[in-house]
């Protein structure tokens, strides 16, 4: 029994330590909360396993905890498979007249690193497809100095040298569903071939939401700038994708 409890406590530390590392950084803070929460659950599981030696109720709770953790592991592996399988470009995106560039967190004086990669990808796409128009999507978060789409446009024009006449704005949305819905309401996307640009980990869900909105589900992936950000983002994307699956909106 002690060996089982020790396993859960070691696993709790393995999850909790990187979770604490993620917490100070707002773009990946959710991933930190997720890892810390898992760490706490594993610690409680280990404690219940230890108490289970002399308390039947604790023993039953420990057994339930093992089942729940197994279900979590299975769902995590399956959903990560969905996420990773979507990290590719669709050849059909080359024919897009409009490309939605999904927003992400911005800092006080510049876009976040993940958003910069999306903007670089969008700039390259526009260079390679001279007839395409980019729709920059993103409203203003509670801790952001301006709407994300405004800073996105500013960065693309001032830093990347993108032609401002090829950049449209959607600046009221607060999440991916609103990004797509608002852009669809503002611009003639249903009558045109369109695609979406987002970080590679986000692309599978973005495609599905584009499809549900009646738009072309074609994607162009932007790389994630570093491994910690990628790890935390995959944790967050697991939760978002699981939410779509549980509400019946993914399949």
């Amino acid at each position: 029994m002690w060996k089982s409890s020790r396993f859960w406590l070691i696993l709790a530390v393995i999850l909790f330590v990187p979770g604490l590392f993620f917490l100070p950084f707002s773009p990946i803070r959710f991933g930190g909360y997720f890892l810390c929460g898992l760490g706490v659950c594993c610690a409680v599981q280990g404690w219940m396993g230890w108490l289970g030696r002399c308390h039947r109720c604790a023993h039953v709770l420990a057994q339930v905890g093992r089942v729940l953790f197994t279900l979590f592991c299975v769902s995590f592996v399956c959903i990560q498979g969905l996420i990773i399988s979507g990290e590719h470009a669709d050849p059909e995106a080359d024919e897009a007249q409009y490309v939605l560039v999904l927003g992400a967190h911005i800092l006080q004086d510049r876009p976040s690193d993940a958003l910069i990669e999306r903007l670089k990808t969008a700039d390259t796409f526009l260079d390679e497809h001279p007839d395409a128009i980019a729709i920059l999507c993103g409203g203003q978060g509670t801790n952001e100095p301006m709407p994300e789409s405004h800073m996105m446009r500013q960065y693309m024009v001032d830093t990347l040298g993108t032609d401002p006449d090829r950049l449209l704005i959607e600046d009221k949305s607060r999440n991916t569903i609103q990004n797509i819905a608002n852009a669809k309401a503002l611009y003639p996307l249903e009558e045109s071939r369109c695609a979406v640009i987002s970080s590679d980990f986000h692309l599978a869900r973005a495609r599905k939401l584009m499809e549900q909105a009646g738009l072309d589900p074609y994607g162009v992936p932007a790389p994630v700038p570093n491994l910690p950000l990628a790890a935390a983002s995959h944790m967050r994307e697991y939760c978002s994708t699981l939410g779509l699956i549980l509400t019946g909106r993914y399949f």
Side-chain angles (χ1 to χ4, degrees):
M1 184 67 70
W2 162 240
K3 289 183 179 180
S4 176
S5 299
R6 184 170 60 181
F7 164 79
W8 289 107
L9 294 175
I10 291 173
L11 184 58
V13 172
I14 291 173
L15 293 169
F16 203 79
V17 170
L20 289 178
F21 172 77
F22 292 152
L23 289 181
F25 307 102
S26 56
I28 58 176
R29 186 170 294 149
F30 185 91
Y33 289 142
F34 182 75
L35 285 174
C36 287
L38 280 179
V40 170
C41 290
C42 289
V44 171
Q45 176 67 20
W47 183 53
M48 286 295 175
W50 180 76
L51 288 178
R53 294 181 301 173
C54 49
H55 296 283
R56 179 171 177 76
C57 182
H59 176 73
V60 172
L61 290 175
Q63 293 293 99
V64 171
R66 291 188 185 96
V67 172
L68 293 176
F69 189 80
T70 300
L71 291 175
F72 158 73
C73 289
V74 171
S75 70
F76 187 82
V77 170
C78 292
I79 290 175
Q80 289 302 325
L82 285 175
I83 294 170
I84 294 170
S85 68
E87 296 179 348
H88 64 271
D90 295 304
E92 296 88 346
D94 290 335
E95 303 172 15
Q97 297 164 273
Y98 292 95
V99 57
L100 280 66
V101 186
L102 302 186
H105 181 70
I106 60 173
L107 308 179
Q108 293 301 310
D109 58 345
R110 66 174 180 85
S112 61
D113 292 341
L115 184 52
I116 286 175
E117 293 300 328
R118 297 184 190 186
L119 300 179
K120 289 179 178 178
T121 300
D123 181 67
T124 299
F125 185 91
L126 293 179
D127 283 344
E128 295 175 351
H129 304 84
D131 295 327
I133 298 292
I135 302 173
L136 310 180
C137 302
Q140 184 173 1
T142 56
N143 60 342
E144 296 177 329
M146 65 177 74
E148 294 168 1
S149 55
H150 291 191
M151 185 175 284
M152 291 162 71
R153 185 180 189 277
Q154 178 180 316
Y155 184 88
M156 290 189 72
V157 172
D158 295 346
T159 304
L160 302 179
T162 310
D163 181 357
D165 293 335
R166 301 179 66 192
L167 302 175
L168 301 177
I169 293 292
E170 180 287 302
D171 61 1
K172 304 299 182 185
S173 57
R174 301 293 295 273
N175 56 50
T176 305
I177 294 175
Q178 293 177 11
N179 287 163
I180 297 170
N182 292 356
K184 178 183 173 182
L186 289 171
Y187 305 108
L189 303 184
E190 290 180 289
E191 295 80 30
S192 310
R193 172 61 58 90
C194 57
V196 61
I197 291 177
S198 192
S199 300
D200 53 15
F201 66 84
H202 185 226
L203 210 53
R205 183 162 57 95
R207 282 194 193 91
K208 180 58 62 173
L209 294 175
M210 289 279 284
E211 181 180 14
Q212 291 174 353
L215 304 178
D216 294 321
Y218 305 131
V220 179
V224 180
N226 57 69
L227 184 59
L229 178 59
S233 297
H234 272 260
M235 297 295 177
R236 176 170 186 163
E237 195 61 19
Y238 162 78
C239 297
S240 299
T241 303
L242 180 62
L244 279 184
I245 291 173
L246 292 178
T247 56
R249 298 183 62 184
Y250 197 92
F251 296 105

